[in-house]
mmCIF file of all heavy atoms in Angstrom:
data_model
loop_
_atom_site.group_PDB
_atom_site.id
_atom_site.type_symbol
_atom_site.label_atom_id
_atom_site.label_comp_id
_atom_site.label_asym_id
_atom_site.label_seq_id
_atom_site.Cartn_x
_atom_site.Cartn_y
_atom_site.Cartn_z
ATOM 1 N N ALA A 917 0.925 -1.177 0.061
ATOM 2 C CA ALA A 917 -0.053 0.004 -0.007
ATOM 3 C C ALA A 917 0.885 1.228 -0.056
ATOM 4 O O ALA A 917 0.556 2.222 -0.682
ATOM 5 C CB ALA A 917 -0.934 0.075 1.201
ATOM 6 N N LEU A 918 1.880 1.350 0.836
ATOM 7 C CA LEU A 918 2.811 2.511 0.862
ATOM 8 C C LEU A 918 3.581 2.666 -0.421
ATOM 9 O O LEU A 918 3.977 3.777 -0.530
ATOM 10 C CB LEU A 918 3.697 2.440 2.041
ATOM 11 C CG LEU A 918 3.054 2.440 3.498
ATOM 12 C CD1 LEU A 918 4.084 2.226 4.569
ATOM 13 C CD2 LEU A 918 2.454 3.827 3.747
ATOM 14 N N SER A 919 3.610 1.620 -1.305
ATOM 15 C CA SER A 919 4.443 1.740 -2.538
ATOM 16 C C SER A 919 3.513 2.383 -3.545
ATOM 17 O O SER A 919 4.089 2.485 -4.644
ATOM 18 C CB SER A 919 4.982 0.480 -2.944
ATOM 19 O OG SER A 919 5.839 -0.105 -1.973
ATOM 20 N N GLY A 920 2.369 2.668 -3.224
ATOM 21 C CA GLY A 920 1.428 3.315 -4.205
ATOM 22 C C GLY A 920 0.698 2.351 -5.106
ATOM 23 O O GLY A 920 0.009 2.668 -6.027
ATOM 24 N N HIS A 921 0.630 0.960 -4.694
ATOM 25 C CA HIS A 921 -0.078 0.050 -5.463
ATOM 26 C C HIS A 921 -1.629 0.161 -4.956
ATOM 27 O O HIS A 921 -1.952 0.599 -3.839
ATOM 28 C CB HIS A 921 0.352 -1.396 -5.209
ATOM 29 C CG HIS A 921 1.823 -1.429 -5.700
ATOM 30 N ND1 HIS A 921 2.136 -1.536 -7.068
ATOM 31 C CD2 HIS A 921 3.002 -1.408 -5.100
ATOM 32 C CE1 HIS A 921 3.510 -1.493 -7.230
ATOM 33 N NE2 HIS A 921 3.967 -1.488 -5.990
ATOM 34 N N LEU A 922 -2.540 -0.249 -5.707
ATOM 35 C CA LEU A 922 -3.856 -0.305 -5.555
ATOM 36 C C LEU A 922 -4.448 -1.456 -4.988
ATOM 37 O O LEU A 922 -4.121 -2.602 -5.242
ATOM 38 C CB LEU A 922 -4.692 -0.106 -6.935
ATOM 39 C CG LEU A 922 -6.138 -0.070 -7.002
ATOM 40 C CD1 LEU A 922 -6.615 1.128 -6.183
ATOM 41 C CD2 LEU A 922 -6.727 -0.069 -8.401
ATOM 42 N N LEU A 923 -5.292 -1.385 -3.866
ATOM 43 C CA LEU A 923 -5.879 -2.462 -3.206
ATOM 44 C C LEU A 923 -7.331 -2.389 -3.474
ATOM 45 O O LEU A 923 -8.031 -1.229 -3.259
ATOM 46 C CB LEU A 923 -5.539 -2.297 -1.682
ATOM 47 C CG LEU A 923 -4.101 -2.475 -1.215
ATOM 48 C CD1 LEU A 923 -3.925 -2.301 0.078
ATOM 49 C CD2 LEU A 923 -3.726 -4.056 -1.598
ATOM 50 N N ILE A 924 -8.072 -3.359 -4.117
ATOM 51 C CA ILE A 924 -9.389 -3.302 -4.340
ATOM 52 C C ILE A 924 -10.235 -4.168 -3.459
ATOM 53 O O ILE A 924 -9.791 -5.178 -2.907
ATOM 54 C CB ILE A 924 -9.671 -3.653 -5.853
ATOM 55 C CG1 ILE A 924 -9.292 -4.992 -6.066
ATOM 56 C CG2 ILE A 924 -8.998 -2.586 -6.772
ATOM 57 C CD1 ILE A 924 -9.598 -5.590 -7.528
ATOM 58 N N ASP A 925 -11.375 -3.774 -3.266
ATOM 59 C CA ASP A 925 -12.432 -4.543 -2.437
ATOM 60 C C ASP A 925 -13.217 -5.444 -3.365
ATOM 61 O O ASP A 925 -14.276 -4.972 -3.944
ATOM 62 C CB ASP A 925 -13.293 -3.516 -1.721
ATOM 63 C CG ASP A 925 -14.192 -4.156 -0.688
ATOM 64 O OD1 ASP A 925 -14.339 -5.449 -0.576
ATOM 65 O OD2 ASP A 925 -14.944 -3.420 0.134
ATOM 66 N N ARG A 926 -12.844 -6.696 -3.473
ATOM 67 C CA ARG A 926 -13.478 -7.715 -4.381
ATOM 68 C C ARG A 926 -14.783 -8.018 -3.795
ATOM 69 O O ARG A 926 -15.568 -8.492 -4.577
ATOM 70 C CB ARG A 926 -12.575 -8.967 -4.518
ATOM 71 C CG ARG A 926 -11.285 -8.612 -5.151
ATOM 72 C CD ARG A 926 -10.516 -9.816 -5.381
ATOM 73 N NE ARG A 926 -10.369 -10.644 -4.371
ATOM 74 C CZ ARG A 926 -9.870 -11.894 -4.402
ATOM 75 N NH1 ARG A 926 -9.389 -12.344 -5.510
ATOM 76 N NH2 ARG A 926 -9.733 -12.697 -3.279
ATOM 77 N N ARG A 927 -15.032 -7.839 -2.586
ATOM 78 C CA ARG A 927 -16.424 -8.330 -1.959
ATOM 79 C C ARG A 927 -17.423 -7.305 -2.350
ATOM 80 O O ARG A 927 -18.736 -7.605 -2.088
ATOM 81 C CB ARG A 927 -16.344 -8.403 -0.493
ATOM 82 C CG ARG A 927 -15.410 -9.570 -0.046
ATOM 83 C CD ARG A 927 -15.359 -9.649 1.412
ATOM 84 N NE ARG A 927 -14.388 -10.707 1.710
ATOM 85 C CZ ARG A 927 -13.858 -11.032 2.937
ATOM 86 N NH1 ARG A 927 -14.231 -10.233 3.959
ATOM 87 N NH2 ARG A 927 -13.103 -11.949 3.175
ATOM 88 N N ARG A 928 -17.101 -6.032 -2.807
ATOM 89 C CA ARG A 928 -18.064 -5.120 -3.259
ATOM 90 C C ARG A 928 -17.804 -4.691 -4.731
ATOM 91 O O ARG A 928 -16.981 -3.814 -4.947
ATOM 92 C CB ARG A 928 -17.937 -3.884 -2.315
ATOM 93 C CG ARG A 928 -18.150 -4.280 -0.822
ATOM 94 C CD ARG A 928 -18.105 -3.231 0.128
ATOM 95 N NE ARG A 928 -19.354 -2.379 0.002
ATOM 96 C CZ ARG A 928 -19.455 -1.164 0.816
ATOM 97 N NH1 ARG A 928 -18.414 -0.844 1.548
ATOM 98 N NH2 ARG A 928 -20.532 -0.502 0.618
ATOM 99 N N PRO A 929 -18.450 -5.438 -5.534
ATOM 100 C CA PRO A 929 -18.121 -5.332 -6.973
ATOM 101 C C PRO A 929 -18.081 -3.833 -7.597
ATOM 102 O O PRO A 929 -17.374 -3.460 -8.426
ATOM 103 C CB PRO A 929 -19.147 -6.163 -7.746
ATOM 104 C CG PRO A 929 -19.627 -7.150 -6.720
ATOM 105 C CD PRO A 929 -19.367 -6.420 -5.338
ATOM 106 N N GLU A 930 -19.125 -3.027 -6.989
ATOM 107 C CA GLU A 930 -19.153 -1.725 -7.524
ATOM 108 C C GLU A 930 -17.946 -0.931 -7.139
ATOM 109 O O GLU A 930 -17.455 -0.116 -7.959
ATOM 110 C CB GLU A 930 -20.345 -1.071 -7.009
ATOM 111 C CG GLU A 930 -20.478 -0.625 -5.516
ATOM 112 C CD GLU A 930 -20.891 -1.784 -4.678
ATOM 113 O OE1 GLU A 930 -21.124 -2.974 -5.029
ATOM 114 O OE2 GLU A 930 -20.699 -1.699 -3.436
ATOM 115 N N ARG A 931 -17.373 -1.088 -6.096
ATOM 116 C CA ARG A 931 -16.131 -0.458 -5.617
ATOM 117 C C ARG A 931 -14.989 -0.946 -6.331
ATOM 118 O O ARG A 931 -14.066 -0.211 -6.697
ATOM 119 C CB ARG A 931 -15.908 -0.601 -4.070
ATOM 120 C CG ARG A 931 -16.679 0.341 -3.168
ATOM 121 C CD ARG A 931 -16.045 0.275 -1.799
ATOM 122 N NE ARG A 931 -16.646 1.378 -0.934
ATOM 123 C CZ ARG A 931 -16.603 1.437 0.287
ATOM 124 N NH1 ARG A 931 -15.880 0.470 0.930
ATOM 125 N NH2 ARG A 931 -17.135 2.404 0.942
ATOM 126 N N ALA A 932 -14.959 -2.307 -6.500
ATOM 127 C CA ALA A 932 -13.816 -2.851 -7.297
ATOM 128 C C ALA A 932 -13.790 -2.364 -8.805
ATOM 129 O O ALA A 932 -12.694 -1.908 -9.272
ATOM 130 C CB ALA A 932 -13.942 -4.398 -7.332
ATOM 131 N N HIS A 933 -14.983 -2.226 -9.455
ATOM 132 C CA HIS A 933 -15.099 -1.688 -10.726
ATOM 133 C C HIS A 933 -14.624 -0.237 -10.701
ATOM 134 O O HIS A 933 -13.888 0.184 -11.638
ATOM 135 C CB HIS A 933 -16.554 -1.870 -11.377
ATOM 136 C CG HIS A 933 -16.816 -3.211 -11.611
ATOM 137 N ND1 HIS A 933 -16.387 -3.804 -12.837
ATOM 138 C CD2 HIS A 933 -17.506 -4.122 -10.949
ATOM 139 C CE1 HIS A 933 -16.795 -5.087 -12.889
ATOM 140 N NE2 HIS A 933 -17.485 -5.237 -11.745
ATOM 141 N N GLN A 934 -15.044 0.443 -9.736
ATOM 142 C CA GLN A 934 -14.583 1.964 -9.650
ATOM 143 C C GLN A 934 -13.112 2.100 -9.429
ATOM 144 O O GLN A 934 -12.529 2.961 -10.012
ATOM 145 C CB GLN A 934 -15.325 2.607 -8.502
ATOM 146 C CG GLN A 934 -15.110 4.125 -8.295
ATOM 147 C CD GLN A 934 -15.783 4.750 -7.084
ATOM 148 O OE1 GLN A 934 -16.615 4.149 -6.505
ATOM 149 N NE2 GLN A 934 -15.398 5.990 -6.926
ATOM 150 N N SER A 935 -12.402 1.249 -8.619
ATOM 151 C CA SER A 935 -11.078 1.262 -8.489
ATOM 152 C C SER A 935 -10.293 0.997 -9.646
ATOM 153 O O SER A 935 -9.340 1.548 -10.011
ATOM 154 C CB SER A 935 -10.694 0.280 -7.283
ATOM 155 O OG SER A 935 -11.177 0.675 -6.021
ATOM 156 N N LEU A 936 -10.852 -0.031 -10.388
ATOM 157 C CA LEU A 936 -10.146 -0.352 -11.624
ATOM 158 C C LEU A 936 -10.291 0.725 -12.768
ATOM 159 O O LEU A 936 -9.303 0.959 -13.321
ATOM 160 C CB LEU A 936 -10.755 -1.688 -12.155
ATOM 161 C CG LEU A 936 -10.323 -3.030 -11.414
ATOM 162 C CD1 LEU A 936 -11.044 -4.218 -12.078
ATOM 163 C CD2 LEU A 936 -8.903 -3.285 -11.399
ATOM 164 N N ALA A 937 -11.385 1.402 -12.789
ATOM 165 C CA ALA A 937 -11.620 2.513 -13.621
ATOM 166 C C ALA A 937 -10.673 3.651 -13.200
ATOM 167 O O ALA A 937 -9.951 4.217 -14.100
ATOM 168 C CB ALA A 937 -13.087 2.954 -13.618
ATOM 169 N N GLU A 938 -10.552 3.914 -11.923
ATOM 170 C CA GLU A 938 -9.484 4.941 -11.481
ATOM 171 C C GLU A 938 -8.151 4.490 -11.763
ATOM 172 O O GLU A 938 -7.282 5.417 -12.283
ATOM 173 C CB GLU A 938 -9.676 5.217 -10.131
ATOM 174 C CG GLU A 938 -11.067 5.797 -9.729
ATOM 175 C CD GLU A 938 -11.277 5.866 -8.158
ATOM 176 O OE1 GLU A 938 -10.421 5.417 -7.436
ATOM 177 O OE2 GLU A 938 -12.507 6.286 -7.799
ATOM 178 N N ALA A 939 -7.916 3.307 -11.741
ATOM 179 C CA ALA A 939 -6.432 2.731 -12.053
ATOM 180 C C ALA A 939 -6.160 2.955 -13.558
ATOM 181 O O ALA A 939 -5.110 3.385 -13.882
ATOM 182 C CB ALA A 939 -6.317 1.239 -11.706
ATOM 183 N N ALA A 940 -7.242 2.664 -14.378
ATOM 184 C CA ALA A 940 -7.058 2.803 -15.772
ATOM 185 C C ALA A 940 -6.943 4.228 -16.191
ATOM 186 O O ALA A 940 -5.939 4.556 -16.920
ATOM 187 C CB ALA A 940 -8.303 2.264 -16.603
ATOM 188 N N ASP A 941 -7.721 5.114 -15.618
ATOM 189 C CA ASP A 941 -7.503 6.539 -15.908
ATOM 190 C C ASP A 941 -5.960 7.037 -15.556
ATOM 191 O O ASP A 941 -5.303 7.783 -16.227
ATOM 192 C CB ASP A 941 -8.504 7.355 -15.145
ATOM 193 C CG ASP A 941 -9.946 7.317 -15.561
ATOM 194 O OD1 ASP A 941 -10.120 6.801 -16.894
ATOM 195 O OD2 ASP A 941 -10.848 7.712 -14.928
ATOM 196 N N PHE A 942 -5.516 6.739 -14.344
ATOM 197 C CA PHE A 942 -4.269 6.955 -13.971
ATOM 198 C C PHE A 942 -3.183 6.496 -14.810
ATOM 199 O O PHE A 942 -2.331 7.268 -15.150
ATOM 200 C CB PHE A 942 -4.063 6.558 -12.413
ATOM 201 C CG PHE A 942 -2.671 6.798 -11.997
ATOM 202 C CD1 PHE A 942 -2.130 7.834 -11.491
ATOM 203 C CD2 PHE A 942 -1.667 5.650 -12.059
ATOM 204 C CE1 PHE A 942 -0.823 8.079 -10.994
ATOM 205 C CE2 PHE A 942 -0.385 5.687 -11.560
ATOM 206 C CZ PHE A 942 0.002 7.014 -11.067
ATOM 207 N N ALA A 943 -3.373 5.240 -15.074
ATOM 208 C CA ALA A 943 -2.405 4.542 -16.024
ATOM 209 C C ALA A 943 -2.230 5.286 -17.394
ATOM 210 O O ALA A 943 -1.147 5.530 -17.683
ATOM 211 C CB ALA A 943 -2.665 3.148 -16.181
ATOM 212 N N VAL A 944 -3.318 5.627 -17.988
ATOM 213 C CA VAL A 944 -3.394 6.209 -19.313
ATOM 214 C C VAL A 944 -2.698 7.709 -19.083
ATOM 215 O O VAL A 944 -1.973 8.175 -19.834
ATOM 216 C CB VAL A 944 -4.872 6.320 -19.890
ATOM 217 C CG1 VAL A 944 -4.838 7.286 -21.017
ATOM 218 C CG2 VAL A 944 -5.194 4.947 -20.253
ATOM 219 N N ARG A 945 -3.284 8.425 -18.098
ATOM 220 C CA ARG A 945 -2.746 9.778 -17.915
ATOM 221 C C ARG A 945 -1.273 9.949 -17.727
ATOM 222 O O ARG A 945 -0.566 10.781 -18.090
ATOM 223 C CB ARG A 945 -3.610 10.386 -16.707
ATOM 224 C CG ARG A 945 -3.209 11.896 -16.450
ATOM 225 C CD ARG A 945 -4.155 12.408 -15.375
ATOM 226 N NE ARG A 945 -3.985 11.765 -14.154
ATOM 227 C CZ ARG A 945 -4.791 11.049 -13.603
ATOM 228 N NH1 ARG A 945 -5.997 10.849 -14.003
ATOM 229 N NH2 ARG A 945 -4.527 10.510 -12.439
ATOM 230 N N GLU A 946 -0.673 8.947 -16.798
ATOM 231 C CA GLU A 946 0.581 9.040 -16.327
ATOM 232 C C GLU A 946 1.636 8.145 -17.193
ATOM 233 O O GLU A 946 2.732 8.038 -16.928
ATOM 234 C CB GLU A 946 0.763 8.707 -14.921
ATOM 235 C CG GLU A 946 -0.038 9.591 -14.057
ATOM 236 C CD GLU A 946 0.353 11.113 -14.077
ATOM 237 O OE1 GLU A 946 1.597 11.224 -14.208
ATOM 238 O OE2 GLU A 946 -0.440 12.006 -13.847
ATOM 239 N N GLY A 947 1.028 7.227 -18.033
ATOM 240 C CA GLY A 947 1.878 6.329 -18.718
ATOM 241 C C GLY A 947 2.380 5.201 -17.930
ATOM 242 O O GLY A 947 3.457 4.753 -18.225
ATOM 243 N N PHE A 948 1.669 4.751 -16.971
ATOM 244 C CA PHE A 948 2.066 3.754 -16.137
ATOM 245 C C PHE A 948 1.491 2.324 -16.649
ATOM 246 O O PHE A 948 0.461 2.286 -17.121
ATOM 247 C CB PHE A 948 1.446 3.860 -14.671
ATOM 248 C CG PHE A 948 2.351 4.614 -13.762
ATOM 249 C CD1 PHE A 948 2.718 5.858 -14.008
ATOM 250 C CD2 PHE A 948 2.900 3.975 -12.579
ATOM 251 C CE1 PHE A 948 3.554 6.590 -13.084
ATOM 252 C CE2 PHE A 948 3.625 4.616 -11.751
ATOM 253 C CZ PHE A 948 3.961 5.880 -11.883
ATOM 254 N N SER A 949 2.296 1.260 -16.415
ATOM 255 C CA SER A 949 1.798 0.014 -16.700
ATOM 256 C C SER A 949 1.032 -0.498 -15.444
ATOM 257 O O SER A 949 1.214 0.083 -14.437
ATOM 258 C CB SER A 949 2.963 -0.879 -16.909
ATOM 259 O OG SER A 949 3.590 -0.726 -18.226
ATOM 260 N N ILE A 950 0.247 -1.520 -15.628
ATOM 261 C CA ILE A 950 -0.490 -2.129 -14.465
ATOM 262 C C ILE A 950 -0.145 -3.657 -14.490
ATOM 263 O O ILE A 950 0.131 -4.284 -15.433
ATOM 264 C CB ILE A 950 -1.998 -2.011 -14.701
ATOM 265 C CG1 ILE A 950 -2.477 -0.557 -14.969
ATOM 266 C CG2 ILE A 950 -2.790 -2.744 -13.621
ATOM 267 C CD1 ILE A 950 -3.788 -0.302 -15.323
ATOM 268 N N TRP A 951 0.039 -4.064 -13.141
ATOM 269 C CA TRP A 951 0.489 -5.464 -13.004
ATOM 270 C C TRP A 951 -0.463 -6.082 -11.998
ATOM 271 O O TRP A 951 -1.017 -5.508 -11.007
ATOM 272 C CB TRP A 951 1.972 -5.500 -12.381
ATOM 273 C CG TRP A 951 2.100 -6.607 -11.355
ATOM 274 C CD1 TRP A 951 2.015 -7.861 -11.551
ATOM 275 C CD2 TRP A 951 2.737 -6.383 -9.975
ATOM 276 N NE1 TRP A 951 2.488 -8.562 -10.491
ATOM 277 C CE2 TRP A 951 2.878 -7.649 -9.559
ATOM 278 C CE3 TRP A 951 3.073 -5.360 -9.231
ATOM 279 C CZ2 TRP A 951 3.430 -7.956 -8.268
ATOM 280 C CZ3 TRP A 951 3.611 -5.567 -8.012
ATOM 281 C CH2 TRP A 951 3.690 -6.907 -7.486
ATOM 282 N N LEU A 952 -1.048 -7.304 -12.471
ATOM 283 C CA LEU A 952 -1.995 -8.011 -11.590
ATOM 284 C C LEU A 952 -1.856 -9.473 -11.770
ATOM 285 O O LEU A 952 -1.333 -9.970 -12.832
ATOM 286 C CB LEU A 952 -3.379 -7.461 -11.853
ATOM 287 C CG LEU A 952 -4.008 -7.701 -13.156
ATOM 288 C CD1 LEU A 952 -5.303 -8.557 -12.961
ATOM 289 C CD2 LEU A 952 -4.375 -6.337 -13.706
ATOM 290 N N THR A 953 -2.421 -10.260 -10.892
ATOM 291 C CA THR A 953 -2.600 -11.676 -10.941
ATOM 292 C C THR A 953 -3.966 -12.018 -11.325
ATOM 293 O O THR A 953 -4.983 -11.829 -10.450
ATOM 294 C CB THR A 953 -2.247 -12.259 -9.671
ATOM 295 O OG1 THR A 953 -3.053 -11.875 -8.504
ATOM 296 C CG2 THR A 953 -0.780 -12.080 -9.240
ATOM 297 N N PRO A 954 -4.223 -12.510 -12.542
ATOM 298 C CA PRO A 954 -5.566 -12.705 -13.024
ATOM 299 C C PRO A 954 -6.434 -13.774 -12.158
ATOM 300 O O PRO A 954 -7.534 -13.842 -12.310
ATOM 301 C CB PRO A 954 -5.426 -13.004 -14.493
ATOM 302 C CG PRO A 954 -4.070 -13.566 -14.650
ATOM 303 C CD PRO A 954 -3.274 -12.801 -13.537
ATOM 304 N N GLU A 955 -5.627 -14.643 -11.426
ATOM 305 C CA GLU A 955 -6.204 -15.626 -10.673
ATOM 306 C C GLU A 955 -6.808 -15.075 -9.403
ATOM 307 O O GLU A 955 -7.900 -15.595 -8.879
ATOM 308 C CB GLU A 955 -5.237 -16.708 -10.181
ATOM 309 C CG GLU A 955 -4.533 -17.432 -11.298
ATOM 310 C CD GLU A 955 -3.138 -18.193 -10.841
ATOM 311 O OE1 GLU A 955 -2.289 -17.407 -10.879
ATOM 312 O OE2 GLU A 955 -3.288 -19.299 -10.514
ATOM 313 N N GLY A 956 -6.474 -13.794 -8.988
ATOM 314 C CA GLY A 956 -7.002 -13.154 -7.959
ATOM 315 C C GLY A 956 -6.504 -13.514 -6.463
ATOM 316 O O GLY A 956 -6.648 -12.768 -5.682
ATOM 317 N N THR A 957 -5.945 -14.671 -6.481
ATOM 318 C CA THR A 957 -5.354 -15.111 -5.159
ATOM 319 C C THR A 957 -4.409 -16.291 -5.508
ATOM 320 O O THR A 957 -4.287 -16.818 -6.562
ATOM 321 C CB THR A 957 -6.589 -15.769 -4.191
ATOM 322 O OG1 THR A 957 -5.979 -15.825 -2.855
ATOM 323 C CG2 THR A 957 -6.972 -17.101 -4.717
ATOM 324 N N ARG A 958 -3.506 -16.514 -4.487
ATOM 325 C CA ARG A 958 -2.450 -17.504 -4.851
ATOM 326 C C ARG A 958 -2.946 -18.916 -4.798
ATOM 327 O O ARG A 958 -3.933 -19.137 -4.116
ATOM 328 C CB ARG A 958 -1.223 -17.274 -3.988
ATOM 329 C CG ARG A 958 -1.064 -17.910 -2.623
ATOM 330 C CD ARG A 958 0.078 -17.542 -1.973
ATOM 331 N NE ARG A 958 -0.121 -17.934 -0.414
ATOM 332 C CZ ARG A 958 -0.730 -17.189 0.439
ATOM 333 N NH1 ARG A 958 -0.879 -15.915 0.265
ATOM 334 N NH2 ARG A 958 -0.907 -17.728 1.626
ATOM 335 N N SER A 959 -2.347 -19.764 -5.552
ATOM 336 C CA SER A 959 -2.745 -21.072 -5.665
ATOM 337 C C SER A 959 -2.437 -21.898 -4.452
ATOM 338 O O SER A 959 -1.326 -21.676 -3.753
ATOM 339 C CB SER A 959 -1.959 -21.763 -6.860
ATOM 340 O OG SER A 959 -2.032 -23.062 -6.873
ATOM 341 N N ARG A 960 -3.227 -22.778 -3.983
ATOM 342 C CA ARG A 960 -2.991 -23.665 -2.799
ATOM 343 C C ARG A 960 -1.939 -24.719 -3.124
ATOM 344 O O ARG A 960 -1.271 -25.117 -2.230
ATOM 345 C CB ARG A 960 -4.250 -24.262 -2.406
ATOM 346 C CG ARG A 960 -5.242 -23.273 -1.818
ATOM 347 C CD ARG A 960 -6.331 -23.903 -0.857
ATOM 348 N NE ARG A 960 -7.158 -22.835 -0.353
ATOM 349 C CZ ARG A 960 -6.851 -22.151 0.705
ATOM 350 N NH1 ARG A 960 -5.618 -22.333 1.329
ATOM 351 N NH2 ARG A 960 -7.584 -21.315 1.295
ATOM 352 N N ASP A 961 -1.941 -25.171 -4.512
ATOM 353 C CA ASP A 961 -1.030 -26.250 -4.735
ATOM 354 C C ASP A 961 -0.049 -26.116 -5.835
ATOM 355 O O ASP A 961 0.581 -26.878 -6.401
ATOM 356 C CB ASP A 961 -1.950 -27.519 -5.128
ATOM 357 C CG ASP A 961 -2.809 -27.177 -6.342
ATOM 358 O OD1 ASP A 961 -2.774 -26.074 -6.881
ATOM 359 O OD2 ASP A 961 -3.456 -28.089 -6.748
ATOM 360 N N GLY A 962 0.124 -24.663 -6.206
ATOM 361 C CA GLY A 962 1.053 -24.418 -7.336
ATOM 362 C C GLY A 962 0.417 -24.433 -8.631
ATOM 363 O O GLY A 962 0.920 -23.940 -9.690
#
């Protein structure tokens, strides 16, 4: 969090969508790349 990365609330889809939209706006405006894990959580067995 202190490094400036985005934390989204997946339990509240409307907030998650809003956070992703804000991240997209920021990334386009500032020329930042976005890094994420599409699985959403780490694997239990690899």
Side-chain angles (χ1 to χ4, degrees):
L918 291 172
S919 300
H921 299 285
L922 177 65
L923 294 170
I924 60 171
D925 187 351
R926 297 184 313 172
R927 293 183 183 167
R928 300 179 77 181
E930 70 284 349
R931 279 199 172 161
H933 288 279
Q934 180 181 355
S935 295
L936 289 177
E938 290 169 6
D941 289 343
F942 171 80
V944 169
R945 185 177 62 249
E946 301 297 330
F948 268 64
S949 292
I950 301 170
W951 148 52
L952 63 120
T953 58
E955 297 162 278
T957 192
R958 95 184 157 261
S959 169
R960 295 198 173 281
D961 61 3

